[in-house]
Amino acid sequence: MELIAKNISFKYPSAKKFLLEDVNLELDNKKIVGLIGDSGSGKSTLCKILSGYVTKFQGEVIFEGKPLPKKGFKPVQLIYQHPEKVMNPKWKMSQVLAESYDVSDDLLAEFGIQKSWLTRFPQELSGGELQRFSVVRSLNPNTKFLIADEMTTMLDAITQAQILDTVLKIVKERKMGFLLVSHDMDLVDTICDDKIYLKDINAAMK
């Protein structure tokens, strides 16, 4: 299972310079890889391109030998740093999950999600509680590759460890690909089999 980025370049319409230029990246499900870069370097934008949430760019993204599907479920799922920004504030948490799939009670329990939280709205939960939902929602049975974009930065150390440990266990059980995006070198060194520095693969930063 391979996720390949070929000659990815991206520039915001109002910008004079490219944020990403001629980025090439090859990932698979055999190694957990860490992507490291400074704030504002384009990590999040690259994540959105790799998962199909940003579609206007130069180059191509290939997953399992084919272009990413433009419609329907995205096999490459992205977990954002700020879950509150990607959840419908008018939906209860049960609806937020149901939009993706029918989550089992066992999986909810694995992530420490209490049944009482399902009847609440996003704004009624803490950042750590919301991120648990965000991660669970991304673990659809059809998910084949997971990208975590600074997903635990806003969490306390205990919640961070709980979520990461559970995610890593599921990733290995399902033989999924996993890209961890972070500026925390200790975290990357602890979890990842390999690491990539964005400055080394992004011509715009050279």
Side-chain angles (χ1 to χ4, degrees):
M1 183 191 303
E2 289 186 321
L3 176 61
I4 300 173
K6 294 183 178 180
N7 304 117
I8 300 297
S9 295
F10 177 87
K11 182 174 73 70
Y12 287 104
S14 58
K16 294 182 180 180
K17 296 182 178 180
F18 279 90
L19 178 63
L20 301 169
E21 187 174 7
D22 292 329
V23 171
N24 290 281
L25 188 62
E26 292 190 16
L27 304 167
D28 58 37
N29 62 337
K30 297 175 183 177
K31 289 184 178 180
I32 293 173
V33 178
L35 178 65
I36 303 158
D38 297 331
S39 296
S41 61
K43 300 191 305 297
S44 293
T45 300
L46 179 58
C47 289
K48 292 174 184 176
I49 290 172
L50 290 173
S51 54
Y53 288 96
V54 168
T55 57
K56 294 184 179 180
F57 61 90
Q58 297 175 26
E60 60 180 337
V61 177
I62 303 297
F63 182 64
E64 293 189 314
K66 300 177 181 179
L68 284 176
K70 294 183 178 180
K71 295 182 179 180
F73 182 78
K74 301 181 185 301
V76 181
Q77 283 288 301
L78 174 61
I79 304 171
Y80 290 79
Q81 178 179 355
H82 299 284
E84 70 279 2
K85 294 182 179 180
V86 293
M87 292 184 182
N88 190 330
K90 296 181 180 180
W91 283 3
K92 291 184 178 180
M93 298 312 298
S94 58
Q95 293 172 279
V96 170
L97 290 181
E99 182 188 25
S100 180
Y101 66 109
D102 184 14
V103 182
S104 70
D105 290 344
D106 289 343
L107 190 56
L108 292 177
E110 277 196 80
F111 280 93
I113 293 176
Q114 300 177 19
K115 286 290 191 69
S116 61
W117 297 352
L118 295 171
T119 59
R120 298 182 186 179
F121 292 97
Q123 58 270 28
E124 295 177 315
L125 297 175
S126 69
E129 291 164 353
L130 280 180
Q131 195 61 295
R132 293 171 193 268
F133 277 97
S134 183
V135 173
V136 168
R137 185 172 66 167
S138 72
L139 292 170
N140 185 295
N142 294 314
T143 298
K144 296 183 178 180
F145 206 105
L146 203 60
I147 299 177
D149 183 14
E150 302 278 10
M151 74 172 188
T152 59
T153 302
M154 308 298 290
L155 309 179
D156 63 82
I158 294 176
T159 304
Q160 182 183 92
Q162 289 174 339
I163 290 178
L164 278 173
D165 284 348
T166 306
V167 168
L168 288 172
K169 181 172 75 73
I170 293 172
V171 163
K172 291 174 181 177
E173 286 175 352
R174 297 188 186 179
K175 297 181 180 180
M176 296 164 56
F178 187 51
L179 177 67
L180 176 70
V181 183
S182 180
H183 61 266
D184 186 335
M185 289 297 298
D186 289 338
L187 180 64
V188 171
D189 286 339
T190 300
I191 289 176
C192 300
D193 302 309
D194 202 357
K195 55 191 173 186
I196 298 169
Y197 294 90
L198 184 57
K199 63 181 176 60
D200 291 339
I201 61 172
N202 185 8
M205 300 177 69
K206 296 176 182 178

